Amino acid sequence: MVAAVVLAVVFTRSGGGSGSAGGNGEVFLQAAAKTGPEPFTESTAKDSSVPPVAASPTGSSEPANAVRGVDGSAPGLYGGTRNVSSCDVEKQVKALQADPTKNKVFASVAGVPPSGVPAFLRSLTPVQLRMDTRVTNHGYRDGAATTYQAVLQAGTAVLVDDRGVPRTRCACGNPLTPPIAQQTTPKRTGDTWASYNPSNVVVVAPSTTVINIFVIYDPDHHDWIARHRGDTGGKDHKTHPPVRPSPPVSVSPPTTPSTPSPCVSTSAGATPSGSASPCPPALVTPSSPSSPSSSSPSSPPPSSESPGETLTPSSSAPEPPLASDTTSDTNQSAPLSGAVVSWSV
């Protein structure tokens, strides 16, 4: 099953943050164990020690600015320790509930009502990244969300949704959304780590089906374990190693979009009303709003690191999920408001 590579105009969630979402030519590298700038909460991460893994080779030379994506259901994409949660979900819930303003801002980015934040967090699955991963990170400052492009180091503790997409960074409590394509070669700022290579940075594309079981690698015991969706490790059990121990990567060159075809952006699995079709999993490109958003994007403090290669996120060709691990259940959260225009490449 092959997913389309899509370039789409950024949409704004109802009550959400900034419209340009940080597509301003800068990418902030965030080390796994560091809190980072403008945190929503204190760290709720319990472990940030999973070693990085190289993706399966693509078998062909990659063009400049190639887009690299990994399907959210790919076995081995994430890691963790058996019967141990990488994040303290209840601590995260309490921290936000103790600050109604932060809770409201977090909810607006996550696309849920403020009262729904606890249930949203508890529906997510705690895992650790095994690959350096591009996301849009959202900090908190002066009662509003700030927005910047980030690369999260392998080992970072995150909470992922039922399509395998990172939704919260546990070291800072920040909500995460898919990355934004940079219109120019971005400058790297922030942290550094020895294994970092811009050509190995990936973007997680949403699984086409709900993931009931995540097949993750346990480096502490050199085992493969099955973790239930929304579980904090209590139901973990050993499972068979996947055929591919390293997640396969889909690589596609960026292409000038063709004639746009309208679609409606919705949450995973939801069906929009009307005649418009739902947008496929997408890499989004920032729009050009006529006026700045009331919560304008903000980039973290720059570092002295020199600019590097372009980090261009993408969606990917999903690896077929294990039949016993997924379901086609489409009872997802309510559609997000705001239409987008997308182009299939």
Side-chain angles (χ1 to χ4, degrees):
M1 192 178 298
V2 179
V5 177
V6 176
L7 299 177
V9 177
V10 163
F11 62 90
T12 302
R13 289 177 171 83
S14 177
S18 57
S20 61
N24 59 358
E26 188 170 87
V27 173
F28 189 72
L29 275 61
Q30 293 192 273
K34 291 187 177 181
T35 299
E38 303 173 344
F40 265 74
T41 67
E42 64 179 339
S43 176
T44 60
K46 291 185 174 181
D47 191 9
S48 300
S49 61
V50 169
V53 62
S56 297
T58 59
S60 61
S61 59
E62 298 177 10
N65 297 332
V67 292
R68 298 170 59 83
V70 179
D71 182 68
S73 66
L77 174 60
Y78 297 115
T81 303
R82 184 179 177 185
N83 301 130
V84 176
S85 175
S86 58
C87 301
D88 189 332
V89 177
E90 292 307 313
K91 183 178 179 181
Q92 181 71 45
V93 169
K94 291 177 181 178
L96 290 173
Q97 292 292 288
D99 191 325
T101 301
K102 284 185 177 181
N103 186 76
K104 182 178 180 180
V105 175
F106 184 100
S108 71
V109 176
V112 299
S115 62
V117 169
F120 169 74
L121 290 170
R122 290 169 181 145
S123 74
L124 305 179
T125 308
V127 292
Q128 292 168 266
L129 301 177
R130 297 183 71 214
M131 306 172 73
D132 293 347
T133 304
R134 265 287 299 274
V135 297
T136 298
N137 201 337
H138 301 266
Y140 179 85
R141 186 179 64 199
D142 300 330
T146 60
T147 308
Y148 57 96
Q149 296 305 293
V151 174
L152 306 185
Q153 183 187 13
T156 298
V158 295
L159 299 174
V160 300
D161 64 18
D162 60 8
R163 303 294 172 133
V165 177
R167 299 300 302 272
T168 303
R169 182 175 183 263
C170 303
C172 54
N174 290 4
L176 306 173
T177 55
I180 303 303
Q182 299 287 4
Q183 295 178 325
T184 59
T185 300
K187 183 176 82 169
R188 293 203 314 269
T189 63
D191 303 319
T192 59
W193 51 89
S195 62
Y196 173 76
N197 184 331
S199 65
N200 291 334
V201 174
V202 300
V203 171
V204 179
S207 169
T208 56
T209 56
V210 170
I211 304 169
N212 285 326
I213 301 289
F214 290 86
V215 178
I216 65 179
Y217 180 67
D218 180 352
D220 294 334
H221 303 96
H222 305 289
D223 283 332
W224 290 90
I225 59 177
R227 176 162 294 175
H228 290 253
R229 168 169 51 98
D231 185 61
T232 55
K235 298 179 181 179
D236 286 354
H237 58 86
K238 289 186 179 182
T239 190
H240 297 294
V243 176
R244 296 176 177 176
S246 298
V249 168
S250 173
V251 179
S252 302
T255 309
T256 302
S258 57
T259 304
S261 174
C263 63
V264 173
S265 179
T266 68
S267 57
T271 303
S273 59
S275 59
S277 60
C279 295
L283 160 69
V284 290
T285 303
S287 59
S288 299
S290 57
S291 61
S293 168
S294 59
S295 176
S296 60
S298 170
S299 297
S303 73
S304 59
E305 184 181 2
S306 59
E309 296 179 34
T310 301
L311 299 179
T312 308
S314 75
S315 59
S316 69
E319 178 176 343
L322 301 178
S324 61
D325 293 347
T326 60
T327 177
S328 59
D329 179 18
T330 57
N331 292 328
Q332 305 300 307
S333 57
L336 301 174
S337 63
V340 298
V341 177
S342 69
W343 299 270
S344 294
V345 177

